Amino acid sequence: MPLIEVSIARGRTPEQLRALIAELHRAAEKAVGAVPENTTVIIREIEHEHWSRGNQTIAERNAAAAESRSS
């Protein structure tokens, strides 16, 4: 009974999220023989201000990139 949890930055379309769910289900079926009705997928969408790498949030990185493009 697999439980698959994914954290992803907010901003994907419902169609993209649905495709991700489908691919995760297929991967569980293929890798461990999981039965689809026994597989749970949880997707947590994280706000850009709440996700950081290298002490810079996604929002800060996006703002810096936009500023450099406009300069």
Side-chain angles (χ1 to χ4, degrees):
M1 190 160 25
L3 168 61
I4 302 167
E5 295 186 69
V6 174
S7 295
I8 191 169
R10 186 171 302 282
R12 283 18 180 240
T13 66
E15 294 79 14
Q16 289 172 315
L17 294 173
R18 185 66 192 94
L20 177 58
I21 290 168
E23 290 298 327
L24 292 168
H25 271 271
R26 278 193 277 280
E29 290 176 51
K30 182 179 177 184
V32 297
V35 178
E37 48 276 357
N38 292 335
T39 301
T40 300
V41 174
I42 299 171
I43 297 178
R44 300 180 198 286
E45 290 188 285
I46 310 299
E47 297 296 334
H48 289 192
E49 296 80 10
H50 299 166
W51 189 306
S52 72
R53 183 182 326 141
N55 198 26
Q56 186 178 36
T57 67
I58 293 172
E60 292 166 339
R61 195 170 33 243
N62 289 346
E67 186 176 309
S68 70
R69 283 192 300 269
S70 67
S71 298

